[in-house]
Amino acid sequence: VVRLPEGKTLVLRLPSVDVGERNSSVEAYWQVGQDDVPARVQVQLLEHVMEEPLYDTLRTRWQLGYSVSCGLRMTNGVLGLC
């Protein structure tokens, strides 16, 4: 995990180890900022609101895969949503 300066974006793409493999995965991760109680509550509320519609759309309707989730992540004191 890299702490990004505010307003900066980092996109990391890695090739598959097995070039013949048709399956893949994507993780979107947004850093929110330093961990504090108000920010954590806001991210947990956003997670709660997004979780069911996200799962329903990606997993049930589009049938994209078995591992579909939304959650708060805390890494090195940086709060994020993935």
Side-chain angles (χ1 to χ4, degrees):
V1 173
V2 176
R3 183 177 291 177
L4 298 174
E6 190 170 329
K8 296 296 179 180
T9 301
L10 174 69
V11 176
L12 180 63
R13 270 176 71 175
L14 300 173
S16 174
V17 177
D18 181 359
V19 294
E21 178 61 61
R22 294 175 9 118
N23 294 308
S24 63
S25 67
V26 173
E27 180 178 77
Y29 171 62
W30 294 273
Q31 289 182 335
V32 176
Q34 289 299 113
D35 177 37
D36 61 18
V37 173
R40 195 182 299 187
V41 169
Q42 289 173 342
V43 171
Q44 287 176 329
L45 178 61
L46 183 59
E47 173 190 1
H48 181 73
V49 170
M50 289 176 59
E51 190 171 25
E52 194 280 326
L54 180 125
Y55 184 89
D56 181 56
T57 299
L58 297 179
R59 175 69 180 106
T60 306
R61 292 183 189 174
W62 295 354
Q63 299 181 352
L64 289 184
Y66 292 102
S67 180
V68 175
S69 65
C70 173
L72 178 141
R73 180 182 293 172
M74 187 113 48
T75 308
N76 297 330
V78 177
L79 185 62
L81 179 70
C82 59

